[in-house]
Amino acid sequence: MLPSDWKCSRTLLPENVRAGARIAVLMNGKDPAHEAACEASEPAARALNLELIRLEANGPAGLEAALQRLAGAGARGLLVFSTTR
């Protein structure tokens, strides 16, 4: 069973496109909730034959560097974890 957040990936990325596709995850590596969400996403991503690429942006200063990494990562999608504080 896949977490509900990942079920839509089957429609958005059909199997022939999804095979080995890289999905970038923009997150705050210092936020325990982001770490937990990323770890929880790994099994679902593997079940869909996706590779997650962690892009850590610990505050506004790290965002530009993370986006530069995204440009060269060959990602076919982007998942952004939000922070409420």
Side-chain angles (χ1 to χ4, degrees), residues 13 18 20-24 49-53 72-78:
L13 291 171
R18 189 172 64 226
R22 303 176 90 196
I23 305 297
N49 197 19
L50 299 171
E51 176 187 354
L52 296 185
I53 304 164
R76 301 204 66 162
L78 174 64

Side-chain angles (χ1 to χ4, degrees), residues 15-82:
E15 189 170 347
N16 63 330
V17 174
R18 189 172 64 226
R22 303 176 90 196
I23 305 297
V25 179
L26 182 60
M27 60 183 281
N28 180 344
K30 294 180 180 178
D31 186 330
H34 286 198
E35 286 291 336
C38 192
E39 288 179 21
S41 296
E42 287 286 346
R46 279 194 302 274
L48 292 168
N49 197 19
L50 299 171
E51 176 187 354
L52 296 185
I53 304 164
R54 292 171 55 119
L55 300 174
E56 294 187 20
N58 301 323
L63 182 59
E64 185 174 343
L67 293 177
Q68 286 177 352
R69 282 190 53 221
L70 172 62
R76 301 204 66 162
L78 174 64
L79 175 62
V80 179
F81 291 159
S82 64

